[in-house]
Amino acid sequence: IILNSSKTDVTGAGLRLAGADGGPPRFLVSLSERDYYWVLGLVPVVLCVPGALRGRSRLGQLVRITWALGGLLLIWLAGPWNWVPGCVFGASTGVTVAALIVIGLRWQPLPWRHRWFLWLIIPTFALTVAFFVLMVSVLVRVIGAD
């Protein structure tokens, strides 16, 4: 047993003392920054719901759901779960699935793009896809490190 009186993670030290090599999988940032990543992952998940309810185009809905899925991956990657409250990932997944269902129900009558903000939605879509691809690549790297 390793006891600690601070927020510094001692899981890796405990696993090394127990004979496990390498310790737990690490994210790409320092431990002091990790606490904020799950909160940042909540932002797109929470903002996806009102956008799903009042979105005006299919492309806008794709931006919202891709952003929310990237945020969900960021929450999952922000573990280990002694930093992230366990209910956060479950509730975020539920909210994202609910938004996806709402988007699916509203999909058919929506046009592909809204005529007013085309200059904004195309770069936004590209940045959102890049964020999602980054989260997937980090996830593959973390899983591959195990």
Side-chain angles (χ1 to χ4, degrees), residues 58-132:
R58 291 180 182 180
L59 192 55
Q61 298 292 43
L62 284 175
V63 166
R64 285 176 188 89
I65 201 64
T66 306
W67 194 37
L69 290 172
L72 197 62
L73 287 175
L74 182 59
I75 294 170
W76 189 76
L77 287 167
W81 297 107
N82 58 347
W83 277 292
V84 182
C87 62
V88 169
F89 185 71
S92 300
T93 303
V95 167
T96 304
V97 168
L100 188 58
I101 290 170
V102 169
I103 288 172
L105 292 173
R106 296 190 64 235
W107 186 262
Q108 195 62 28
L110 293 175
W112 266 102
R113 59 181 174 83
H114 196 268
R115 64 180 182 269
W116 292 336
F117 296 109
L118 183 61
W119 61 271
L120 181 63
I121 197 69
I122 299 297
T124 305
F125 182 67
L127 288 173
T128 304
V129 169
F131 171 66
F132 181 73

Side-chain angles (χ1 to χ4, degrees), residues 14 21 26 28 38 41 58 100 110 117 120 125 134 136 146:
D21 56 340
R26 296 288 179 202
L28 298 176
W38 68 270
R58 291 180 182 180
L100 188 58
L110 293 175
F117 296 109
L120 181 63
F125 182 67
L134 175 67
V136 169
D146 289 343

